[in-house]
Amino acid sequence: MFGPARARLALPSSLAHSPAPQTGRQIDRRAFLHGLAVASSGLVLGGGLTACTSGQSSPTGAGEPRRGGRLRAVVSGASSSDDTLHPFVAGSWGAGIVMKNLFDKLCAYKDDLTVTNRLAESIEPNSDGSLWTVRLRDGVEWHDGKPLSADDLMYSVRYLLDPKSSFTGAKDLAMVDVDGLRKVDRRTVAVPMRRPIADLPSLLAGWYVYVIQDGTTAFDNDHPPVGTGPFRFDRWSPGDRVRLTRNDSYWESGRPYLDELEIIFITKADTRLNALLGGDADVAHELAWAQAAAQERTGRVQVVTSPVGRMQSFNMMVDQKPFTDPHVREALKLAVDRQEIVDTAYSGYADVGNDLYGLGAPLYNDDLPQRRYDPDKAKSLLRKAGKERLTVTLHTSDVTPGMLEAATLYAEQAKRAGITIKLEKSPADSYWSEVWAKKPFAQSGWGNYALDWFYGQTLLSTSDSNETGWRRRDWDKRFFAARATMDPGLRAQRYADLQQELWQDGGYIIHSFVKWIDGAHHKVGGVRGAPPASDGWGSYRDVWLGA
């Protein structure tokens, strides 16, 4: 998230300080659009080579893979007080990249959001999904030379699910019967379920579900993290940077190539780009969209984009007025011009949303009609509800690129439906703690993963991150039934039915799925666009520096 980076997904929980709150009437749309255009063109330094790729390695001057060198990557992170090396807690984008290179998971998402094994050699269910058997890959060593074992896996699951710790990732594996875990042999664990599940791997690939060493509870400079990832821990400066060194015993033969990897936390996208262009960084993650468009035109650096985007939404709490009225919710969904937001706020680096999570993911219901901008119908619905000249307050922030811009456009678009949307802008450093999931109309964004994962995090009556107030016991019951359905065709139909209800009656206005964009010097080889938190995202095991 973005966001509740928790993959809040990973939304960085602490970003730039922003100015005092202001209202939508203080933000003039024409000036805003003009400003975007000027900002974009101001970054254009010349015509020429287009270097953008999606999901593929970009052509570079790095030559063939070679060993050696220290690579510096800049990415947004958490504040010094919030920063952490704990893999079950690290939620910012920067911390996520650190974890990705220190530790490993049993499995991970591929670019198409299906799952591939990592530390797991196999993950197999019994006939009804009530018992899963996980067999670990042979020959994997921890950074201290100890072999990866079933004891490590059992400890990791028990620690993640320990109710005293209240880890966010525990929601992902809440169906696991932790008391029933059983070691079969030194590499195999039997994992019983409290509730059957047909696709456990899609949850084992979640943001926080890393395998840690048996007995580990502390992760800091005094207790250096020991993982199985391609790099070893060297030094951590909270809120500033983490330095890693190559793991010469990494289980993927020949990887990684780099001697050292330095991950530097920089909040502002402009500053990250300047660090890249000025030679103070080799890779800049999470470029702003206007910046990316300009850099594509100049060809000064490689620009790579993710093949699928992250969900961006306006969130109505369906249990708070006026959003308790389904006519009001429908009217507000019809009052947003999604294509204009994609074209303007995100410079075209996004796909239009349809008020459903998981665009491009398995089980996504793409048979539903695309909801379109229809201010006349929105007016009609509001008349029917007795809510003509509706006024609502949308809470926003510049906590992540594009959020404030999307809210500003939406406020202007809604005027044609007779709706006044007042914008209440909150400081970036307190948005996630004081506004998100607390105010009845706010914004968020989430990484795009399996529907199972997102529903468990946000849409069950018991979900900690239930940001739309969606609490329907019948929907919960049908979700658990769908999740446990082993027949693929029947399972797909049940998920389609769940999504039909969310599309029709839910509190999400999902307007866009924006691409993750990275920039890199041409001397950097192996850089590729990948969905956030997927196997390829933020991984430096295949990256090298040219001569």
Side-chain angles (χ1 to χ4, degrees):
M1 174 176 157
F2 90 149
R6 344 157 177 193
R8 206 174 27 178
L9 259 208
L11 269 193
S13 55
S14 179
L15 294 178
H17 174 73
S18 55
Q22 51 187 288
T23 69
R25 284 170 293 188
Q26 293 173 289
I27 303 173
D28 178 79
R29 179 174 187 246
R30 181 168 298 176
F32 164 73
L33 294 174
H34 176 68
L36 268 185
V38 169
S40 177
S41 62
L43 289 168
V44 177
L45 301 178
L49 179 68
T50 294
C52 177
T53 62
S54 177
Q56 302 293 325
S57 297
S58 178
T60 73
E64 295 299 312
R66 61 188 292 274
R67 282 202 160 198
R70 178 170 68 96
L71 185 143
R72 302 154 300 167
V74 291
V75 61
S76 63
S79 67
S80 58
S81 59
D82 292 337
D83 198 11
T84 177
L85 292 176
H86 197 308
F88 294 171
V89 179
S92 71
W93 294 122
I97 290 177
V98 172
M99 297 303 112
K100 172 64 66 68
N101 290 284
L102 274 175
F103 296 93
D104 257 315
K105 300 174 185 174
L106 289 172
C107 49
Y109 293 109
K110 297 189 288 187
D111 286 357
D112 63 0
L113 303 180
T114 58
V115 174
T116 186
N117 286 342
R118 294 288 301 158
L119 290 180
E121 180 179 280
S122 63
I123 309 174
E124 299 293 340
N126 64 356
S127 60
D128 66 358
S130 62
L131 178 69
W132 284 75
T133 301
V134 179
R135 184 160 180 78
L136 295 170
R137 189 182 295 276
D138 198 12
V140 178
E141 292 184 354
W142 295 97
H143 294 160
D144 61 6
K146 296 178 181 177
L148 174 70
S149 72
D151 294 326
D152 297 311
L153 176 55
M154 292 178 65
Y155 173 77
S156 299
V157 175
R158 286 170 175 160
Y159 183 36
L160 179 64
L161 296 179
D162 186 343
K164 296 194 295 291
S165 302
S166 298
F167 293 123
T168 300
K171 289 291 183 187
D172 295 343
L173 300 186
M175 78 296 298
V176 171
D177 177 8
V178 70
D179 294 332
L181 286 173
R182 181 169 59 87
K183 180 178 176 180
V184 177
D185 59 37
R186 71 177 180 86
R187 290 198 288 131
T188 309
V189 175
V191 185
M193 300 291 132
R194 297 182 190 279
R195 293 177 183 272
I197 184 167
D199 188 10
L200 181 64
S202 69
L203 298 177
L204 293 173
W207 179 270
Y208 295 103
V209 191
Y210 285 97
V211 179
I212 61 174
Q213 196 173 47
D214 186 7
T216 308
T217 56
F219 305 85
D220 53 39
N221 283 319
D222 294 329
H223 307 85
V226 175
T228 57
F231 293 89
R232 300 170 184 265
F233 176 79
D234 182 21
R235 184 180 298 276
W236 174 43
S237 177
D240 178 31
R241 66 191 63 205
V242 176
R243 192 166 67 194
L244 310 176
T245 61
R246 184 174 59 226
N247 173 17
D248 288 319
S249 300
Y250 187 51
W251 57 273
E252 286 191 280
S253 180
R255 273 40 170 205
Y257 300 113
L258 300 168
D259 287 340
E260 296 181 24
L261 172 62
E262 190 168 32
I263 300 167
I264 303 166
F265 307 133
I266 296 178
T267 296
K268 290 189 172 297
D270 287 352
T271 310
R272 291 195 295 273
L273 177 61
N274 287 336
L276 178 64
L277 296 178
D280 294 320
D282 305 296
V283 174
H285 290 285
E286 200 184 3
L287 294 185
W289 299 278
Q291 294 173 344
Q295 293 308 315
E296 275 196 68
R297 289 189 286 268
T298 69
R300 287 183 64 188
V301 295
Q302 303 175 66
V303 177
V304 295
T305 65
S306 62
V308 297
R310 292 173 285 142
M311 177 195 112
Q312 307 292 307
S313 63
F314 306 118
N315 307 330
M316 302 175 285
M317 287 191 170
V318 300
D319 56 355
Q320 296 193 36
K321 292 183 178 180
F323 310 111
T324 50
D325 189 324
H327 291 106
V328 170
R329 297 199 294 272
E330 176 71 6
L332 284 163
K333 291 174 182 176
L334 294 168
V336 57
D337 185 339
R338 301 150 205 267
Q339 189 62 57
E340 186 179 38
I341 289 178
V342 165
D343 293 341
T344 306
Y346 302 120
S347 301
Y349 290 99
D351 295 310
V352 167
N354 193 28
D355 303 330
L356 290 175
Y357 176 84
L359 180 66
L363 300 173
Y364 178 82
N365 187 351
D366 52 13
D367 290 333
L368 291 170
Q370 173 64 52
R371 189 169 266 125
R372 302 189 184 281
Y373 183 47
D374 192 341
D376 292 335
K377 186 176 180 181
K379 278 183 181 178
S380 174
L381 287 167
L382 291 176
R383 270 197 302 275
K384 193 179 297 185
K387 297 281 195 321
E388 290 176 286
R389 293 191 290 277
L390 176 71
T391 297
V392 293
T393 298
L394 174 61
H395 294 266
T396 186
S397 175
D398 56 4
V399 66
T400 193
M403 178 184 280
L404 178 60
E405 292 86 346
T408 304
L409 277 174
Y410 183 29
E412 290 297 322
Q413 294 163 355
K415 289 178 180 176
R416 287 186 55 193
I419 301 172
T420 299
I421 296 179
K422 296 180 178 178
L423 299 185
E424 185 73 29
K425 184 183 172 191
S426 298
D429 56 6
S430 60
Y431 181 80
W432 299 116
S433 59
E434 298 179 13
V435 176
W436 171 77
K438 294 182 173 61
K439 300 296 183 182
F441 198 25
Q443 291 174 269
S444 71
W446 292 76
N448 212 19
Y449 310 117
L451 271 58
D452 266 354
W453 176 85
F454 183 73
Y455 291 173
Q457 287 281 338
T458 69
L459 287 165
L460 287 175
S461 299
T462 55
S463 297
D464 293 337
S465 299
N466 193 328
E467 56 193 348
T468 59
W470 180 263
R471 295 180 178 85
R472 297 189 175 184
R473 296 296 179 183
D474 177 66
W475 192 93
D476 294 352
K477 185 178 177 181
R478 288 186 289 118
F479 167 60
F480 288 129
R483 174 184 258 187
T485 302
M486 302 299 284
D487 178 82
L490 179 57
R491 185 162 181 259
Q493 182 56 56
R494 288 177 170 173
Y495 272 88
D497 293 343
L498 292 169
Q499 291 171 87
Q500 169 75 49
E501 184 175 342
L502 291 172
W503 184 83
Q504 187 67 43
D505 214 23
Y508 279 115
I509 304 172
I510 299 175
H511 52 80
S512 312
F513 285 83
V514 300
K515 304 297 179 67
W516 177 277
I517 308 175
D518 295 330
H521 276 293
H522 288 291
K523 68 179 181 180
V524 181
V527 176
R528 56 188 290 275
S534 66
D535 191 33
W537 177 82
S539 172
Y540 281 88
R541 64 178 185 264
D542 294 319
V543 174
W544 71 90
L545 285 170

